[in-house]
Amino acid sequence: MTDATRPTAPGVDPHRTTGDGRASCHHGEILQGYFHDGNRHLCHGLVTLPMDGPGSTARFVRRPGSPPDEVTVTPDSRTKARKAAVLALRECAALRGQDPCGGELTLTGDLPVGLGMGSSTSDVIATVRAVADSWGLRLRPETAARLAVRAEGASDPLMYGPRPLLFAQREGRVLEVLGSALPPAVVVGCALGGSEPVDTLSLTALVEDGDLAAYAHLRRMLRTAVADADTALLGRVSTASARLRQRVLGHREFLALKGIADSTGAVGVQIAHSGNVAGILFDPRAPGLDGGLRRCSRALAREGITPTRTFTTFASPDHLGVPPWTTTSLKPSAART
């Protein structure tokens, strides 16, 4: 076994030519800004809010003997996934000691594009996993992250699963493992900006005096929130980070969103720092949770903000009685095919 691979699953034929992969999405960021690594190198970093459910599924059929760059993708608009497939093919061929080849990639999923939920990274990671599976391999998260950054330019940390990480998205490396799980929270999701996609590559980061100290402070606060399972502190971090990011995004609904959180007993708000998806965070242990969720949904509707879905940061929300009335679909025009 090399540093790039994990053991092949029992019973997997190493000579197979068809592979499958899947990757989930996230719901925007809890924290995003500029942070120092262990060597005091300053880099972009983020902590995403995991969300189970929507995601991308990939199937890859290898064509041994075909040119290595001869990869087709359906839908043909998924150019980042195609690039990831070519990179993963070369990686896996080298691990197997064989010549790289081409193949056919098919992507399906239910993720909206451009709302800041990691749709392109989900495509890319699902693709990398499918290509590796077609070789009878499972690549390590570090390898998948390296390939994803090469394919996208910047990547979300979906390859590492739901645990909270401070991740350098432009370098594909983990700056800090914050813990095993975020504090428990119920999130009422919504879409700002009329659910319209955002061109993330067009966004320009603005850094002002005091920002680096502010981000370092929020990092320490989040570390404490995770260690103590402190949902209220989690809300304070995500709200402060969202407010800092408004210099770039300028959501006209941000003040209304914050007002709804304050008036319904929520602990804070979170937004996608490169998109329009947002959420209002509640502590599941607080009294009157169900009433707060209902008031929140009604208040969002009054403000013309589209509620999307209610979800949790932990595995099973059943004991909370999270009601189905808070779950709707995102704007059809933003949905993926």
Side-chain angles (χ1 to χ4, degrees):
M1 184 176 67
T2 72
D3 288 340
T5 63
R6 289 176 170 174
T8 304
V12 171
D13 178 4
H15 303 294
R16 66 193 299 176
T17 58
T18 299
D20 297 290
R22 191 183 187 283
S24 61
C25 68
H26 61 79
H27 198 265
E29 285 72 37
I30 290 291
L31 175 62
Q32 182 169 340
Y34 299 88
F35 306 92
H36 287 103
D37 64 11
N39 296 317
R40 300 299 296 169
H41 170 68
L42 189 66
C43 52
H44 297 267
L46 52 78
V47 181
T48 55
L49 177 62
M51 184 175 72
D52 192 22
S56 299
T57 300
R59 168 155 288 196
F60 187 78
V61 180
R62 239 179 345 112
R63 300 297 183 212
S66 62
D69 291 340
E70 192 175 275
V71 173
T72 61
V73 58
T74 304
D76 59 10
S77 60
R78 311 294 174 82
T79 55
K80 294 177 181 178
R82 182 192 178 281
K83 184 175 181 179
V86 172
L87 293 169
L89 279 163
R90 294 182 180 277
E91 184 83 22
C92 294
L95 292 170
R96 285 294 188 199
Q98 300 181 26
D99 292 330
C101 62
E104 300 171 8
L105 171 66
T106 302
L107 287 162
T108 57
D110 51 3
L111 273 176
V113 178
L115 292 188
M117 299 176 69
S119 59
S120 61
T121 297
S122 183
D123 276 354
V124 164
I125 299 306
T127 295
V128 168
R129 288 172 174 169
V131 170
D133 189 44
S134 77
W135 287 91
L137 296 170
R138 288 188 293 174
L139 298 180
R140 291 185 179 278
E142 297 85 350
T143 304
R146 171 170 53 81
L147 297 177
V149 169
R150 289 182 63 189
E152 295 189 79
S155 170
D156 297 309
L158 300 178
M159 66 292 294
Y160 286 96
R163 60 179 174 159
L165 306 170
L166 181 60
F167 185 74
Q169 70 269 30
R170 298 186 180 183
E171 302 174 30
R173 61 191 178 98
V174 176
L175 300 179
E176 181 178 353
V177 178
L178 296 166
S180 59
L182 287 173
V186 178
V187 184
V188 178
C190 59
L192 308 179
S195 303
E196 292 298 326
V198 172
D199 180 4
T200 58
L201 296 179
S202 69
L203 298 176
T204 302
L206 301 175
V207 183
E208 297 183 356
D209 291 344
D211 281 358
L212 297 184
Y215 286 127
H217 180 59
L218 291 175
R219 178 181 184 175
R220 291 191 295 269
M221 289 174 63
L222 184 55
R223 189 183 296 138
T224 300
V226 171
D228 297 344
D230 189 333
T231 306
L233 189 56
L234 174 72
R236 287 172 56 194
V237 171
S238 64
T239 301
S241 182
R243 183 179 289 111
L244 282 169
R245 191 65 174 173
Q246 288 311 299
R247 295 201 302 263
V248 176
L249 295 173
H251 288 305
R252 60 179 177 80
E253 307 100 329
F254 179 73
L255 291 179
L257 200 69
K258 179 66 169 61
I260 292 170
D262 292 341
S263 64
T264 57
V267 298
V269 302
Q270 64 86 212
I271 62 168
H273 289 193
S274 57
N276 279 329
V277 73
I280 297 180
L281 281 60
F282 289 82
D283 189 334
R285 300 160 294 193
L289 173 65
D290 185 68
L293 294 175
R294 291 181 181 275
R295 292 194 304 275
C296 179
S297 183
R298 290 194 295 265
L300 287 170
R302 285 196 300 270
E303 292 289 343
I305 301 173
T306 305
T308 53
R309 66 177 65 218
T310 294
F311 64 98
T312 71
T313 59
F314 46 94
S316 176
D318 294 342
H319 69 284
L320 295 174
V322 175
W325 47 262
T326 55
T327 301
T328 62
S329 296
L330 286 165
K331 186 175 180 180
S333 63
R336 313 193 82 183
T337 57

